[in-house]
Amino acid sequence: MATITRTVTGQLSEVVPFLEAGVLDRSRSASAEAAVDLATSAGGVAVRGFERYSMTGSNRVGMTVTVIQDGPDVHIVGITLGGSQAVFLKLNTIGEEEFLATLDSTISQWEAERPGG
């Protein structure tokens, strides 16, 4: 399992579609598998589930992305799962790390394109 936590400035309604498009565009075999949006007094929470085929590990890898509006800040948490062919321990996490890198680079693009991003 690999994880990333980042905070950007923006609105949930703009950040979430940007992240979705970035993850799907950066991986040919990625697909959006699930989506949940919740309204909160602080602005809301969006959870997205993605999956892709990992050529390196010859298996499927899943990633959940949770996005939380907190005033002007948007907290982003990405967690990848699966990708190992072993039964009791993880031998190959390269696919997970590569999938998580698509989210990381998308967040960096958000920051680069928006002042104070």
Side-chain angles (χ1 to χ4, degrees):
M1 176 170 52
T3 64
I4 185 174
T5 303
R6 303 263 304 265
T7 300
V8 299
T9 302
Q11 293 300 309
L12 192 72
S13 61
E14 296 174 352
V15 174
V16 172
F18 188 88
L19 295 176
E20 289 173 327
V23 168
L24 295 173
D25 289 348
R26 285 176 167 79
S27 180
R28 289 185 301 180
S29 66
S31 60
E33 297 293 321
V36 175
D37 296 307
L38 303 169
T40 68
S41 59
V45 176
V47 180
R48 298 294 183 264
F50 300 95
E51 190 175 68
R52 81 170 200 173
Y53 180 74
S54 172
M55 295 281 281
T56 308
S58 298
N59 51 29
R60 305 239 7 122
V61 177
M63 177 169 63
T64 60
V65 178
T66 303
V67 187
I68 304 163
Q69 184 78 54
D70 183 19
D73 294 330
V74 177
H75 306 290
I76 305 164
V77 178
I79 301 173
T80 54
L81 305 162
S84 180
Q85 295 174 327
V87 175
F88 296 109
L89 61 122
K90 288 211 173 198
L91 296 176
N92 176 2
T93 60
I94 295 170
E96 290 182 45
E97 292 161 7
E98 288 174 351
F99 201 14
L100 198 61
T102 65
L103 176 62
D104 191 40
S105 62
T106 301
I107 296 168
S108 294
Q109 181 183 354
W110 173 271
E111 293 172 324
E113 292 180 4
R114 285 157 184 81

